[in-house]
Amino acid sequence: MATVCGFVEKIKYRNEDNGYTVLSLVDAGEEYTLVGSFHYISEGEMIEAVGSMTEHPVYGEQMTVESYEIKAPEDTAAMERYLGSGAIKGIGAALAARIVRRFKADTFRIMEEEPERLSEVKGVSEKMAMSISQQVEDKKEMRQAMMFLQEYGITMNLAVKIYQEYGPRLYGVLKENPYQMADDIPGVGFKMADEIARKAGIFTDSDFRIKCGVQYTLLQATANGHTYLPEEELLSQASELLRIEVSYIEKHLMDMQLDKRLVIRESEGKRIVYAAQYYYMELNVAKMLHDLNIRGQMPEEEIRHQLFKIQNEEQIELDEKQIQAVVEAVNSGLLIITGGPGTGKTTTINTIIRFFESQEMEILLAAPTGRAAKRMTEATGYEARTIHRLLELTGVPGDDRSIGMHFERNEENPLDADAVIIDETSMVDIHLMQSLLKAINPGTRLILVGDVNQLPSVGPGNVLRDMIDSQGFNVVMLTKIFRQATQSDIVVNAHKINRGEQVPLGKKSNDFLFIKREDPNAIINAMITLVQDKLPGYVHAKTYDIQIMTPMRKGAIGVERLNAILQEYLNPPGDGKAEKEAAGVIYRVGDKVMQIKNNYNIEWEVRNGYGIPVDKGTGIYNGDMGIVREINSFAELVTVEFDEGRMVDYSFKQLEELELAYAITIHKSQGSEYPAVVIPVFSGPRMLMTRNLIYTAVTRAKSCVCLVGMPEVFGDMVNNEMEQRRYSGLKERICEITRIS
């Protein structure tokens, strides 16, 4: 073990998530490079560090620090160096020299005990003297708080947030109500607050704990797509979470309603409970949809006459339902167009665009995901953006993904358009729908396009289905499968699946194949052969573009096992191929990965052939897929390239936002289209093995679907109409608004 004591000359690198730092330290004229996890320190501070000296192959000798202690500068030279380092705002090198020359070894005592005397120094006013004293005290308090919070298992980065939120009050918060942190500080959830409370000696039947547990239970329900829970289910789940009797929880619901944290309503003779923000979100969405739903005045004969000219010019023939969709689009403030694959949704959208253009109208196109927007652009020839980009998501990047993020387009700065067309609307959750509607003024036409039989959104709500079921808006359902589409067994069989009809799996087909296998390992071997050897040439695509999709995460053919196996075959380890293990998963240069949560703040850039950035932006979203291009162990960064050459640097701590994507769940495939998809078909939980799941999977393929597994399991999925119940009240809110008006 070695010990060094000196000044922090320069902080060369710091990972704000985990405190990992590379710094240079000067001890008696010698410079050392120190690496390790440091608490809150600044350049210019004096530390004593203990660790082992190692030889880095690139960066030379450095000390890996095991422990350290911040020291108060003891001699006048040390004091002057610290004060002149920039650690205290307002003091530069020259002023530091004057202060130390005036007070000598007594400098720090003067700053702490008699700060008004600092004004004796030329260039220091009384106000500045007080500011300097306060900074010295704050730094001292903050260091003490950091050390105190470490005892509760709180990371440095989170400790800084807690201190910034509460300051010296944090000791009282931890002693009286640690659960307040779950409300006040992003990144602190119930479970973390509960663990801190346990260490602080808070009783399990504390009122604060119970209320926070109820709120957490409702928040967890939104992660499963619900906007509310029946009271009975809420009490049962909260009781299990809190490990207390239901009777202790019931009495708090009314108090939480009076505090406006909950909304309790009656539905179908039973009480249902919302977290207040979700009730008002649904109510707000219902009101804005109603306000958009106004009728136009253009005579139908005039519309049909113009439409006839467009059909002749474009050499297309619309069926009556498609014509009805165009007529309604012209004369409806709000229109929903729904239909399965091959029913002419794209042709209908293109015709509507042409009609609006003929009226010199301004049109905007968008979809929920980057892949869906790209498909929309290719299908229409007009630029389509993600809804987030359409609404101009902006903010100052920070440690938390949501802090400071907002949409520039809103009720005060609405979209400048006569018509807005949204594709893949089944993927839009209640949050995104509210943000979209805020940016659309009544009088602007909103056309929502989607397949209502697809899986619902990953986020909370069941927006498209609730809107259709409310019967409050114009809905055109396209049902005719066009002749060209009937030549595709993907389209024909998708409709059979949707109707619950059995698909002839033995039929020879160019684009819908079923390979019988009984054993999970045999299924996996067949899928590897397809992805690696057979399909790339058949569909003229790269191995990367062919997607394996499975119903489940766990089990013999679950995502986790499949990705571990597929990685070894499709991207095996090799000399010079960097890799990083995180949470039991190995990430390797060349791996196919997927972003699994929205990160609105993360920065990306597009670089030219010389590595120079030519475009920059923020935001990578749930479902975005990319390739690992570089792993830098020294800087603790993983670089991923996403669609359109967007390069993103992830810290090692951020790897929790990524997962391998050689195989993905069918839920994660929503809004995407692939040249070919490979689907393992093996027994699993009945609630997962459903008709709309296999329907969604099949409709993700552009050129070829390969199912591998057991025909009887496929048949059971087609017959299984079960859909996981999603508690969503938008339909009821729409009906209420309609009755009131």
Side-chain angles (χ1 to χ4, degrees), residues 116-262:
E116 67 279 358
R117 289 191 58 194
L118 290 172
S119 61
E120 297 172 15
V121 178
K122 184 181 177 182
V124 180
S125 64
E126 285 189 18
K127 183 177 179 182
M128 186 178 180
M130 292 295 99
S131 172
I132 291 169
S133 174
Q134 187 62 51
Q135 288 184 66
V136 171
E137 186 62 29
D138 284 349
K139 281 182 172 287
K140 183 178 175 183
E141 282 186 359
M142 188 167 201
R143 286 195 204 101
Q144 290 172 344
M146 295 298 106
M147 302 307 291
F148 175 77
L149 292 169
Q150 295 291 316
E151 295 174 13
Y152 289 88
I154 296 171
T155 65
M156 185 190 76
N157 193 40
L158 187 55
V160 172
K161 288 183 188 177
I162 293 171
Y163 185 81
Q164 287 172 342
E165 177 70 29
Y166 300 122
R169 290 196 303 117
L170 72 87
Y171 303 101
V173 171
L174 259 69
K175 183 179 177 182
E176 295 166 16
N177 179 18
Y179 299 98
Q180 185 179 337
M181 291 190 292
D183 290 333
D184 295 342
I185 302 171
V188 178
F190 169 78
K191 291 192 174 180
M192 183 181 290
D194 203 33
E195 179 61 21
I196 294 169
R198 186 185 65 77
K199 290 179 179 177
I202 303 292
F203 293 117
T204 56
D205 62 351
S206 154
D207 290 355
F208 296 126
R209 181 173 186 265
I210 292 171
K211 290 177 180 179
C212 188
V214 168
Q215 202 82 25
Y216 176 79
T217 303
L218 287 170
L219 181 64
Q220 287 299 101
T222 66
N224 293 321
H226 308 303
T227 56
Y228 69 83
L229 283 177
E231 184 180 39
E232 193 176 325
E233 285 192 35
L234 171 62
L235 292 171
S236 172
Q237 291 178 27
S239 172
E240 186 176 342
L241 171 75
L242 296 165
R243 300 182 301 281
I244 60 175
E245 295 293 325
V246 166
S247 57
Y248 285 99
I249 303 170
E250 286 177 305
K251 60 185 180 183
H252 289 288
L253 296 186
M254 187 56 69
D255 289 342
M256 293 180 74
Q257 189 172 17
L258 291 173
D259 292 340
K260 297 184 178 179
R261 295 173 69 180
L262 302 181

Side-chain angles (χ1 to χ4, degrees), residues 611-626:
I612 299 170
V614 293
D615 190 17
K616 291 185 177 182
T618 58
I620 298 293
Y621 305 112
N622 190 355
D624 285 355
M625 297 175 78

Side-chain angles (χ1 to χ4, degrees), residues 33-54:
T33 298
L34 275 58
V35 298
S37 183
F38 290 81
H39 301 301
Y40 196 81
I41 63 168
S42 305
E43 291 178 356
E45 293 195 282
M46 188 173 191
I47 65 171
E48 183 176 272
V50 178
S52 53
M53 304 303 293
T54 58

Side-chain angles (χ1 to χ4, degrees), residues 84 209 226 235 288 292 410 426 499 528 559 594 647 668 679:
R209 181 173 186 265
H226 308 303
L235 292 171
M288 290 188 289
L292 285 177
N410 51 38
S426 62
R499 293 192 297 265
I528 291 170
V559 162
M594 173 184 277
M647 308 294 284
K668 288 287 188 184
I679 307 164

Side-chain angles (χ1 to χ4, degrees), residues 43-114:
E43 291 178 356
E45 293 195 282
M46 188 173 191
I47 65 171
E48 183 176 272
V50 178
S52 53
M53 304 303 293
T54 58
E55 187 72 26
H56 191 280
V58 176
Y59 302 101
E61 187 180 57
Q62 56 188 32
M63 174 188 273
T64 301
V65 175
E66 294 191 8
S67 64
Y68 74 95
E69 183 181 351
I70 297 174
K71 297 283 204 179
E74 293 171 352
D75 57 52
T76 55
M79 291 178 185
E80 183 178 331
R81 183 164 186 165
Y82 171 71
L83 292 174
S85 70
I88 304 296
K89 188 177 178 182
I91 300 182
L95 182 56
R98 292 201 299 274
I99 291 172
V100 174
R101 213 167 32 241
R102 175 73 179 83
F103 299 112
K104 300 184 174 55
D106 216 18
T107 296
F108 274 85
R109 187 195 67 77
I110 294 290
M111 284 183 166
E112 291 180 9
E113 297 177 12
E114 301 178 74

Side-chain angles (χ1 to χ4, degrees), residues 263 265 274 276-291 430 434 437 729-730 732-737 740:
V263 172
R265 297 292 302 266
Y274 283 90
Q277 67 265 36
Y278 281 96
Y279 175 77
Y280 291 109
M281 202 179 293
E282 285 188 347
L283 199 61
N284 198 24
V285 166
K287 175 70 166 59
M288 290 188 289
L289 288 170
H290 177 268
D291 290 348
I430 194 72
Q434 175 175 247
L437 294 174
L730 180 60
E732 285 70 26
R733 304 291 85 75
I734 293 169
C735 292
E736 287 170 1
I737 293 288
I740 292 169

